[in-house]
């Protein structure tokens, strides 16, 4: 249950994010627009860059782009001129289609400029209350609390186990030393008994005048 919850929380931001990653051509003198339907209060972030046709060399002037991002009512959120790459990011203030438009200078003969665009839009925190009902948020909080308690409990358990392990280690060392001493003692006893026996036998045979 808790594992599922954690997984859910980890993937949720990705689920609520729509990513559009595309590569397209912009022909000289022709404006190319990419449309994206955006929700009010969501955050949107875009990155674009020109693919250099001759890698390692500076980008020719006629491959530099003009970029603009607009809402349907032509409100402009981004404006860049003669760039190789750029970024835009804004909070959507109106539901509806938004456009990222790209153009290059009217070069003759016409050439294609390849552009990479990565456009992400996600649910902003303000949108959360609409997406997640209050009840489920509270349930989530409760689960988190439970998780916290469990984590604490596991931590305590770990400490306890570690302490016990150390105690056992100490005990083991004690036992080991006792074992060592006792084996030494038994060896000593064996030797002395053997010595006594030898001494006893010797005196016995001496008495019998055998030796
Ligand atoms: C640019 O690319 C498009 C396809 O993306 C193609 O139709 C067009 O002919 C190309 N233009 C030039 C000048 O290469």
């Amino acid at each position: 249950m808790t594992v599922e919850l954690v997984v859910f929380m980890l993937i949720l931001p990705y689920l609520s994010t729509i990513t559009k990653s595309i590569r397209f051509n912009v022909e000289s003198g022709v404006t190319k627009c990419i449309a994206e339907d955006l929700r009010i209060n969501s955050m949107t972030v875009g990155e674009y860059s020109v693919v250099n046709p001759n890698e390692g060399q500076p980008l020719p002037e006629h491959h530099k782009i003009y970029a603009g991002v607009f809402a349907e009512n032509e409100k402009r959120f981004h404006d860049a001129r003669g760039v190789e790459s750029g970024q835009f990011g804004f909070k959507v203030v109106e539901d509806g289609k938004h456009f990222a438009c790209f153009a290059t200078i009217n070069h003759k003969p016409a050439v294609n400029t390849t552009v990479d665009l990565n456009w992400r839009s996600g649910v902003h925190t303000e949108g959360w209350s609409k997406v997640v009902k209050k009840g489920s948020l509270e349930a989530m909080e409760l689960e988190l609390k439970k998780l916290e308690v469990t984590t604490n409990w596991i931590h305590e358990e770990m400490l306890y186990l570690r302490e016990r392990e150390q105690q056992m280690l100490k005990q083991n060392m004690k036992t080991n030393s006792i074992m060592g001493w006792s084996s030494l003692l038994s060896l000593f006893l064996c030797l002395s008994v053997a010595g006594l026996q030898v001494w006893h036998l010797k005196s016995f045979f001496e008495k019998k005048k055998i030796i």
Side-chain angles (χ1 to χ4, degrees):
M1 175 61 194
T2 47
V3 171
E4 275 168 79
L5 185 85
V6 169
V7 170
F8 170 71
M9 283 186 352
L10 283 178
I11 62 168
L12 192 68
Y14 299 99
L15 284 181
S16 61
T17 305
I18 302 144
T19 305
K20 194 179 249 184
S21 197
I22 46 171
R23 173 174 282 200
F24 52 89
N25 280 334
V26 180
E27 214 174 327
S28 305
V30 181
T31 304
K32 178 112 183 178
C33 290
I34 309 293
E36 184 81 21
D37 226 342
L38 299 178
R39 292 278 140 251
I40 189 164
N41 281 338
S42 68
M43 283 298 290
T44 192
V45 184
E47 277 173 306
Y48 56 87
S49 60
V50 173
V51 179
N52 194 338
N54 317 301
E55 227 186 306
Q57 283 171 38
L59 190 73
E61 207 58 37
H62 58 273
H63 278 303
K64 294 207 169 147
I65 47 172
Y66 292 69
V69 180
F70 313 87
E72 230 162 351
N73 61 7
E74 291 183 9
K75 186 176 174 4
R76 191 193 293 259
F77 294 100
H78 180 70
D79 187 13
R81 291 153 197 244
V83 294
E84 287 177 39
S85 63
Q87 292 176 316
F88 57 88
F90 56 93
K91 189 174 152 189
V92 179
V93 289
E94 228 175 321
D95 269 336
K97 277 210 162 44
H98 287 68
F99 304 92
C101 296
F102 302 89
T104 53
I105 55 166
N106 201 355
H107 185 261
K108 298 278 182 224
V111 289
N112 265 330
T113 300
T114 310
V115 177
D116 275 331
L117 171 69
N118 187 288
W119 196 351
R120 297 188 302 272
S121 38
V123 178
H124 188 51
T125 38
E126 277 177 45
W128 269 111
S129 47
K130 284 177 195 161
V131 177
V132 184
K133 284 192 218 97
K134 198 160 175 279
S136 55
L137 253 187
E138 273 165 7
M140 222 186 228
E141 214 171 43
L142 197 74
E143 281 299 326
L144 270 180
K145 278 237 175 67
K146 262 197 236 165
L147 207 70
E148 199 182 86
V149 169
T150 317
T151 320
N152 277 345
W153 183 78
I154 290 172
H155 186 66
E156 272 166 31
E157 183 75 4
M158 264 170 59
L159 285 181
Y160 169 71
L161 281 179
R162 200 185 298 164
E163 205 171 301
R164 230 182 50 176
E165 201 178 26
Q166 271 170 1
Q167 263 175 9
M168 266 172 51
L169 207 72
K170 258 189 228 162
Q171 190 76 44
N172 271 351
M173 268 157 70
K174 235 192 248 170
T175 318
N176 276 349
S177 59
I178 287 170
M179 293 269 281
W181 280 113
S182 63
S183 58
L184 212 66
L185 195 71
S186 58
L187 183 72
F188 175 74
L189 271 174
C190 280
L191 283 177
S192 31
V193 168
L196 269 174
Q197 275 178 336
V198 167
W199 176 79
H200 187 255
L201 280 174
K202 213 176 154 187
S203 55
F204 173 78
F205 287 127
E206 266 170 3
K207 262 185 213 161
K208 295 272 175 193
K209 308 269 187 232
I210 293 171
I211 296 174

